Amino acid sequence: MNVDTSSPAPDAESPDPAVPEADGQRCGLIAIVGRPNVGKSTLLNALVGQKVSITSRKAQTTRHRITGIRTAGDAQYVFVDTPGFQTRHGNALNRTLNRTVLASLGDVDVVLFVVEAGRFGLDDAKVLALVPEGKPVILVANKLDKVVRRAELAPWLKGMQERHPFAEFVPLTAKRPEDVRRLLDIVRPYLPEQGWWYDEEALTDRSERFLASEIVREKLFRLTGDELPYTSTVVIDKFEEEGLLRRIAATIVVERDAHKGMVIGEGGERLKRIGTEARQELEKLMDAKVFLELFVKVRSGWADDEQRLRSYGYE
C-alpha cells in the first residue's frame, strides 16, 4: 500500500479504438462503494463540486447509479456513486440495489472503497468482498474529523492492509476542499490515457427530470427524519420546459396510510415545506424558475414488486 501521492500508477491498458484520441488527456470510470450511510454521496458531491447525489442522515438514500463528472487539468474523472450494499432486507428493492452495485464494479478503472476512519464492521467487509480481483482499490477513510485519537489509526490501518492489498490509503474529511483536491491528485494516475468522454463543463449524465426526483426525495427524508421508512420514493409525473420555467409534478409514494400522514403533516405543513425547499434548490441547480406540485399516494408493497420497481425507474 502506498501513502505517498507521488506513487507510480498501474500500466494503462491498450486504448480502445472506439474512444477518442488521448492528446495528452486522461479519462476513466471511478466507482465509489461502501456500506450505507458512510458518506459516499457527500464525497461524490465534493469531488464533482456540485450536488449530483442526495445526502441524508437516513441510511440507504442512494438508489441509482449516479454519474458525476469532474474535469481538472488534463484529467476527466467520471464517478459512479452506488447504493450502499444492502445486507439486512431481502425485498425486491434491495435486490435491485445490490445488482446496481455489482454492475457498477464490472467496468471501472479504479474503486474508492469508503469507510469511516478507524471503523470496519461486517457490512464493510461484505462490500469489500464484492470488489473484483485485479481492480486497483483506494481505501478512503472518511470522517477523519470525528477521530479523537489519531494515533489509533496506525494499528487500524495495519489491520486494513491485512484484509486487502489496497493501492493507496487516503484519510480525509469529505467536506474539506483540500482533502478532496488531494484525493483527485491520487486518483489521476489510475485513469487511462484517452480522450475525455464528456464536455469540459459537464457535471453529470443525469437529466434534470431525474435530479428533480432526487432532490424531492432528499427533502422528504431530511424533513421526516426517522419517522418515515426508507421504502418511500418519488415519481415524476410531469416535467415541462418553457424557456426559463420548469413545470414539475411529482408523486411521493409510501407504503401505508400512516406514512402518508407523516409526509403531509398537520394541516399539510410538512408537505408544503418539502415542496418549498425542493423548489428553491432546484431553481439554483437548474438556473430557472420552478413551479412544483407534490402529491402523496399509498402503494402497499411497492418495494417488493419487481414490475412496479421498473415502472418507478429502478434498474
Side-chain angles (χ1 to χ4, degrees):
M1 174 187 293
N2 298 318
V3 295
D4 183 354
T5 60
S6 62
S7 58
D11 293 335
E13 296 180 355
S14 299
D16 188 320
V19 302
E21 293 184 8
D23 194 25
Q25 296 177 337
R26 288 180 179 269
C27 182
L29 197 60
I30 306 115
I32 304 176
V33 302
R35 63 174 171 79
N37 217 23
V38 77
K40 301 182 301 298
S41 296
T42 299
L43 179 61
L44 172 67
N45 292 333
L47 287 164
V48 173
Q50 181 173 310
K51 178 179 289 187
V52 294
S53 186
I54 71 171
T55 60
S56 167
R57 289 178 300 166
K58 186 187 293 287
Q60 304 166 325
T61 46
T62 298
R63 293 185 183 162
H64 300 271
R65 171 175 165 150
I66 312 290
T67 302
I69 304 156
R70 175 74 173 265
T71 303
D74 64 350
Q76 185 170 85
Y77 307 78
V78 183
F79 296 101
V80 178
D81 179 24
T82 62
F85 192 76
Q86 314 300 315
T87 59
R88 299 179 183 178
H89 306 282
N91 61 21
L93 174 60
N94 283 346
R95 291 195 298 271
T96 299
L97 301 184
N98 288 345
R99 285 197 298 268
T100 300
V101 177
L102 293 171
S104 298
L105 291 172
D107 55 359
V108 299
D109 298 295
V110 60
V111 176
L112 302 184
F113 177 60
V114 186
V115 296
E116 290 189 35
R119 294 183 58 186
F120 188 86
L122 179 60
D123 288 349
D124 298 297
K126 288 180 177 179
V127 178
L128 183 58
L130 298 174
V131 178
E133 293 185 8
K135 299 282 184 182
V137 182
I138 297 175
L139 175 62
V140 178
N142 193 22
K143 305 183 181 181
L144 183 64
D145 54 321
K146 295 185 178 181
V147 177
V148 178
R149 298 173 180 174
R150 299 289 175 90
E152 295 179 356
L153 283 181
W156 174 79
L157 174 59
K158 182 179 180 181
M160 294 301 294
Q161 287 177 295
E162 293 171 354
R163 294 179 184 276
H164 189 89
F166 293 103
E168 311 272 0
F169 166 56
V170 187
L172 56 72
T173 299
K175 295 181 180 180
R176 287 171 54 91
E178 55 269 38
D179 286 358
V180 173
R181 288 192 293 269
R182 179 164 53 88
L183 179 57
L184 287 170
D185 288 341
I186 292 171
V187 170
R188 179 190 168 280
Y190 293 89
L191 304 181
E193 294 184 3
Q194 61 181 351
W196 297 342
W197 298 341
Y198 299 96
D199 292 337
E200 187 172 356
E201 296 78 16
L203 296 174
T204 182
D205 68 345
R206 289 294 191 173
S207 66
E208 288 187 343
R209 183 188 184 102
F210 174 82
L211 293 176
S213 69
E214 288 292 280
I215 294 301
V216 173
R217 196 159 62 89
E218 176 186 57
K219 304 310 176 188
L220 169 69
F221 286 145
R222 285 197 169 187
L223 293 174
T224 56
D226 294 328
E227 293 180 65
L228 188 69
Y230 85 99
T231 48
S232 305
T233 196
V234 176
V235 179
I236 300 298
D237 304 308
K238 180 180 74 173
F239 190 98
E240 297 176 350
E241 298 183 36
E242 300 175 9
L244 293 179
L245 174 66
R246 304 289 185 271
R247 294 186 183 276
I248 305 170
T251 296
I252 296 171
V253 180
V254 297
E255 288 204 308
R256 299 179 182 175
D257 287 325
H259 301 160
K260 182 176 181 179
M262 294 175 192
V263 174
I264 294 174
E266 187 174 351
E269 284 301 311
R270 180 173 281 170
L271 183 61
K272 181 179 179 181
R273 187 177 172 193
I274 292 170
T276 298
E277 293 196 10
R279 176 184 55 78
Q280 291 172 343
E281 183 154 341
L282 287 170
E283 288 182 337
K284 291 179 182 178
L285 282 174
M286 299 177 181
D287 194 22
K289 185 72 175 175
V290 173
F291 180 73
L292 176 64
E293 290 183 288
L294 293 182
F295 306 91
V296 186
K297 293 182 180 179
V298 178
R299 293 289 183 268
S300 180
W302 76 266
D304 208 18
D305 185 330
E306 296 274 6
Q307 184 175 352
R308 184 159 278 169
L309 283 169
R310 287 192 293 271
S311 73
Y312 288 168
Y314 291 96
E315 300 169 357

